[in-house]
């Protein structure tokens, strides 16, 4: 049986008989095919995405640039295309590619909710590990814990992204991602399973999660979780990001709107900010005894 003959969501829904898409939890899911899955990447040697679109719907997500190449009527966060032949395509690619490090995933969360049904990221991870590739995973989804059985004892670094320690604020910026406490649980269980762990603090949100107080909280969480590697990231003025960021700011932090606009679009202000933030991050890492784990 070809690998892509996994159970389709469409068999079980009325809309599958009527059209090519189905709406699940407010997002439109489509089954598509791809020609290539594993791509060369600037983050590690390769990256792959079994899904186009990401229902986590983070307000600052730069992957929304994908809509330029794969236009959708729905806004970012409200659609996901499932590459149902992902494992077949990967199997063909693995016959000719040299093993290396694979960033998992670069333009979606590989463990967003549809992965619970399709298990495509899981199967691709298994195939990559069997072929001698190293996995560098970054996710905001607790679902990744489902796959600890295939990661245990293998060449895997399991990381989570945390933007803020505040659950309410996280819910506003990352509406459908797992709770911050669940992401910390991922770190804890991955560590207990003997995996190398990592955390990405970012994008650090100016005046919301980039203050010395919040940075101290974040690094304290990293210390408690015994994280092996820590990265940070700034909010970037990438294409299509500003409209959603400014909308959220206008609703919840109207006084910060001008501040963000300056930091994102005024080159001098931005350069100064990036430099100051870097120093603040280093001070927080030093205080938490984690300076050497900062990547
Ligand atoms: S989890 Fe990552 S890819 Fe998904 S919406 Fe959030 S930032 Fe974008």
């Amino acid at each position: 049986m070809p690998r892509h003959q996994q159970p389709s969501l469409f068999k079980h829904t009325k809309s599958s008989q009527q059209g090519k898409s189905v709406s699940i939890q407010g997002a439109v899911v489509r089954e598509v095919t791809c020609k290539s899955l594993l791509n060369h990447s600037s983050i590690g040697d390769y990256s792959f995405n079994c899904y186009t679109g990401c229902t986590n719907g983070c307000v600052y997500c730069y992957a929304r640039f994908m809509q330029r190449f794969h236009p959708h009527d729905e806004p970012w966060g409200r659609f996901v295309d499932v590459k149902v032949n992902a494992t077949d395509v990967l199997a063909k690619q693995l016959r000719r590619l040299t093993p290396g490090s694979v960033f998992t995933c670069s333009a979606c969360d590989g463990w967003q909710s549809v992965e619970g049904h399709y298990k495509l990221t899981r199967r691709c991870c298994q195939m990559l590990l069997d072929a001698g590739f190293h996995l560098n995973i970054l996710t905001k989804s607790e679902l990744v814990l489902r796959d600890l059985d295939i990661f245990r004892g293998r060449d895997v670094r399991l990381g989570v992204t945390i933007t803020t320690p505040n659950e309410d604020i996280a819910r506003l910026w990352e509406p459908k991602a797992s709770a911050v406490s669940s992401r910390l649980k991922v770190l804890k269980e991955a560590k207990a399973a003997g995996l190398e762990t990592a955390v990405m603090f970012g994008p650090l949100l100016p005046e919301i999660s980039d203050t010395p107080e919040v940075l101290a909280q974040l690094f304290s969480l990293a210390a408690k979780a015994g994280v092996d590697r820590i990265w940070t990231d700034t909010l970037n003025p990438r294409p299509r990001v500003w409209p959603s960021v400014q909308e959220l700011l206008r609703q919840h932090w109207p006084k910060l709107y001008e501040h963000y606009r300056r930091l994102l679009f005024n080159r001098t202000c931005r350069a100064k900010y990036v430099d100051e933030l870097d120093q603040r991050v280093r001070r927080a890492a030093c205080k938490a005894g984690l300076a050497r784990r900062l990547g």
Side-chain angles (χ1 to χ4, degrees), residues 54-58 60-63 76 106-109 140 174 177:
C54 184
T55 53
N56 284 354
C58 305
Y60 51 74
C61 179
Y62 65 83
W76 183 255
S106 55
C108 73
D109 191 323
K140 294 188 184 105
E174 302 152 343

Side-chain angles (χ1 to χ4, degrees), residues 49-239:
N49 299 284
C50 293
Y51 308 102
T52 300
C54 184
T55 53
N56 284 354
C58 305
V59 170
Y60 51 74
C61 179
Y62 65 83
R64 61 187 74 226
F65 77 89
M66 297 290 291
Q67 283 181 282
R68 210 174 123 205
F69 308 105
H70 303 278
H72 287 75
D73 291 338
E74 306 81 24
W76 183 255
R78 296 288 177 83
F79 69 88
V80 57
D81 292 352
V82 180
K83 300 174 188 175
V84 286
N85 64 338
T87 50
D88 291 334
V89 171
L90 181 60
K92 279 187 199 146
Q93 288 188 280
L94 287 179
R95 282 184 215 133
R96 57 181 168 78
L97 289 174
T98 311
S101 177
V102 183
F103 184 62
T104 313
C105 299
S106 55
C108 73
D109 191 323
W111 287 267
Q112 59 179 297
S113 61
V114 286
E115 168 66 11
H117 174 80
Y118 285 97
K119 301 187 178 73
L120 288 172
T121 305
R122 175 186 169 89
R123 288 183 192 139
C124 290
C125 285
Q126 176 90 64
M127 292 167 70
L128 287 162
L129 289 170
D130 290 348
F133 286 73
H134 163 76
L135 295 183
N136 186 10
I137 293 168
L138 204 53
T139 180
K140 294 188 184 105
S141 302
E142 188 184 6
L143 179 61
V144 73
L145 288 175
R146 175 198 66 189
D147 299 337
L148 277 188
D149 60 330
I150 61 168
F151 299 151
R152 204 172 270 116
R154 309 295 290 271
D155 195 5
V156 176
R157 174 158 64 194
L158 180 43
V160 300
T161 303
I162 296 177
T163 306
T164 163
N166 183 305
E167 299 280 9
D168 296 331
I169 294 176
R171 187 60 58 216
L172 289 174
W173 289 88
E174 302 152 343
K176 297 279 175 65
S178 293
V180 178
S181 59
S182 302
R183 297 180 225 175
L184 291 166
K185 183 176 154 204
V186 168
L187 290 177
K188 201 173 144 200
E189 294 197 16
K191 189 87 188 162
L195 299 182
E196 189 186 353
T197 58
V199 66
M200 163 68 84
F201 291 136
L204 292 166
L205 302 163
E207 298 299 321
I208 296 172
S209 62
D210 74 342
T211 62
E213 297 73 27
V214 180
L215 288 174
Q217 282 180 50
L218 288 170
F219 277 93
S220 161
L221 292 173
K224 274 187 204 146
V227 172
D228 299 299
R229 181 63 54 190
I230 302 165
W231 301 289
T232 61
D233 193 16
T234 53
L235 186 64
N236 281 299
R238 290 201 172 102

Side-chain angles (χ1 to χ4, degrees), residues 3 7 10 34 49 62 69 83 91 128 131 155 176 185 213 219 234 245 249 257-258 260 266 283 291-293:
R3 285 187 178 85
F10 293 74
C34 63
N49 299 284
Y62 65 83
F69 308 105
K83 300 174 188 175
L128 287 162
D155 195 5
K176 297 279 175 65
K185 183 176 154 204
E213 297 73 27
F219 277 93
T234 53
V245 168
L249 289 173
Y257 171 81
E258 266 309 314
Y260 272 60
N266 179 307
R283 276 198 295 276
R292 297 176 78 173
R293 301 195 191 177

